[in-house]
Amino acid sequence: GVAGMPQVVFYRNFDEPTVVFDKPITAEDLATAVRANSRPRLIEMTEATAPQIFDNDLPKLLLFRPEAALAEFKKASDDMELRGHFIFATVGEEGDPGLGDFLGVDKAGTAPELFLFEHTTHKKYRLDGPVSAASIKASATPFAPALTLFRPLHLTDLIGSN
């Protein structure tokens, strides 16, 4: 006989190598679990990882100068309500300098800066205030109404504008 509820096991080569989905299996919940567990939760941007970050339609949360806010950013990336709905990426000095210019990163700044890049609308936003797991979650859940902590940034033209 069956000892319990059926389970789906995800095998991965990042984060936790084995993840068990043990909720009642519905198409919607299984699709959400696949989306949440198909990518690393936190990606360090390099030339090699750029496709993992940008080759999808998920909004990107990009943390520049991540050192001082890395623990809080990781805590937000671990949040089950956010996981699978956003790409969390850190952008260090070896990251794409053109991306920082496009987003409007303060070149003279020393504090961490968090940007949200919404690929489907080609809009970019900067988080006003300190970077914390609570401020990231408040800004990103749910995405559309929570943009109040982000302010539109118009330092460069948006992608796709003529």
Side-chain angles (χ1 to χ4, degrees):
V2 176
M5 184 171 305
Q7 298 177 339
V8 175
V9 179
F10 299 97
Y11 295 98
R12 315 176 308 173
N13 61 356
F14 54 85
D15 296 338
E16 304 91 13
T18 305
V19 176
V20 177
F21 177 77
D22 56 4
K23 296 167 67 176
I25 298 175
T26 66
E28 182 179 332
D29 287 344
L30 189 56
T32 298
V34 168
R35 187 174 54 244
N37 291 293
S38 64
R39 294 183 179 83
R41 289 190 297 258
L42 187 59
I43 303 168
E44 180 181 352
M45 183 164 170
T46 65
E47 189 175 321
T49 61
Q52 282 184 301
I53 298 168
F54 292 104
D55 288 353
N56 59 74
D57 287 337
L58 293 174
K60 286 75 172 112
L61 289 164
L62 304 167
L63 181 63
F64 287 80
R65 293 186 296 273
E67 295 76 23
L70 190 57
E72 290 293 308
F73 196 56
K74 180 169 181 354
K75 191 185 306 181
S77 75
D78 288 340
D79 189 301
M80 286 303 293
E81 290 180 35
L82 302 177
R83 196 185 313 177
H85 300 285
F86 296 88
I87 298 293
F88 286 81
T90 59
V91 185
E93 291 190 28
E94 290 78 39
D96 182 355
L99 178 63
D101 292 341
F102 167 73
L103 292 173
V105 172
D106 179 4
K107 291 180 183 180
T110 57
E113 286 185 83
L114 181 67
F115 292 84
L116 185 145
F117 177 62
E118 218 291 305
H119 178 75
T120 57
T121 61
H122 305 292
K123 292 185 179 179
K124 52 193 173 178
Y125 303 87
R126 178 184 298 156
L127 181 69
D128 277 338
V131 175
S132 69
S135 67
I136 294 167
K137 186 171 183 173
S139 299
T141 307
F143 178 65
L147 288 177
T148 56
L149 293 179
F150 283 93
R151 60 182 158 80
L153 194 61
H154 302 290
L155 297 178
T156 60
D157 290 335
L158 298 175
I159 293 177
S161 64
N162 294 326

